[in-house]
Amino acid sequence: MEYPEFPARIDHTVLGPETTSSDVYQVLDEAQEYGMNACIPHCYVAEAVEYAPPVRLVTVVGFPHGQTATETKVRAATSAVASGADEIDVVANIGRFKHGEEEAVLDELHEIVAAVSEPVKVIIETALLTDEERDRLSELAVEADADYLKTSTGFASGGATIPDVEAMSEYLPVKASGGIGSYETALEFVDAGAERIGASNGEKIAAEYRESAGQ
Ligand SMILES: O=C[C@H](O)COP(=O)(O)O
């Protein structure tokens, strides 16, 4: 299937612990060139707004393990939005979820969603979940009024899979992420139901899309 403006689905990402402002400026340049969004560390959001005002900015909260305290996640989300973030990707507390503390997980997600008016994507780290856990955590994200589900941080043992995206897209719009390295693969995930793609290889994906579209 053809998807016009495919690059607008891509959150071109740089999130490693060694990320510098130069790395962020390069991602912003590439995002602006191809019409992608940029997913960058929280500390660089304000600089990014100054450097590339047109680029839609995504940042992460509780990343990559999801085990910062709830009040810290809430404060980080509100702070990131105040600095200029347009979307928040928050990692759910997977440890609490696996321990059966569903009310705590739900309350935390709901508090974060309620604290900002910008879209919130809940990262559930599918590589760490059974299919049943994936579906139940997706349900909790729906109950928390989240806007999207996101498969992976890119920092776990595995990333997005087609069956995960197909299942998760029954609950909420999905951002597929983690190990997506080509337009061909990104297209497979969009065909499977993903609304968005998160990738460190965003520029490569967007360039391959342009080539395939004869642009
Ligand atoms: O969306 C965020 C992920 O970190 C991207 O994963 P990746 O680095 O495997 O492309």
Side-chain angles (χ1 to χ4, degrees):
M1 185 170 174
E2 292 295 313
Y3 299 92
E5 300 310 312
F6 194 92
R9 293 173 177 269
I10 302 169
D11 292 353
H12 184 22
T13 301
V14 61
L15 288 173
E18 75 289 359
T19 300
T20 68
S21 53
S22 301
D23 299 325
V24 170
Y25 295 157
Q26 180 178 339
V27 161
L28 291 167
D29 287 341
E30 292 163 352
Q32 203 150 347
E33 160 64 22
Y34 287 97
M36 298 183 284
N37 314 307
C39 186
I40 62 173
H42 180 176
C43 63
Y44 295 119
V45 168
E47 291 163 66
V49 172
E50 290 294 316
Y51 182 78
V55 175
R56 186 169 180 80
L57 293 177
V58 180
T59 196
V60 290
V61 166
F63 195 89
H65 298 139
Q67 300 236 317
T68 41
T70 297
E71 59 269 25
T72 305
K73 287 184 180 180
V74 173
R75 197 161 54 241
T78 54
S79 161
V81 166
S83 297
D86 299 298
E87 297 180 8
I88 300 293
D89 290 9
V90 60
V91 185
N93 194 318
I94 296 152
R96 287 198 183 282
F97 171 72
K98 279 181 169 284
H99 193 244
E101 300 172 62
E102 290 194 356
E103 188 173 349
V105 172
L106 172 58
D107 288 350
E108 174 177 278
L109 293 175
H110 194 264
E111 197 172 337
I112 294 162
V113 171
V116 294
S117 52
E118 285 64 18
V120 173
K121 310 190 195 82
V122 175
I123 305 175
I124 65 172
E125 204 69 281
T126 51
L128 304 180
L129 305 178
T130 65
D131 289 352
E132 293 72 26
E133 289 172 332
R134 174 201 65 205
D135 295 347
R136 180 58 187 146
L137 192 44
S138 297
E139 286 174 345
L140 293 180
V142 172
E143 290 176 43
D145 293 327
D147 301 278
Y148 291 85
L149 286 165
K150 178 175 174 183
T151 62
S152 316
T153 59
F155 287 76
S157 55
T161 70
I162 296 294
D164 285 336
V165 167
E166 289 172 339
M168 292 163 67
S169 56
E170 296 297 317
Y171 296 94
L172 282 172
V174 173
K175 174 177 174 180
S177 58
I180 300 174
S182 69
Y183 170 59
E184 181 184 5
T185 303
L187 185 58
E188 287 170 0
F189 280 111
V190 172
D191 282 339
E195 290 272 321
R196 299 277 285 275
I197 297 294
S200 304
N201 287 301
E203 188 205 15
K204 176 176 182 286
I205 294 167
E208 290 173 355
Y209 160 76
R210 274 192 177 170
E211 189 177 343
S212 73
Q215 294 178 7

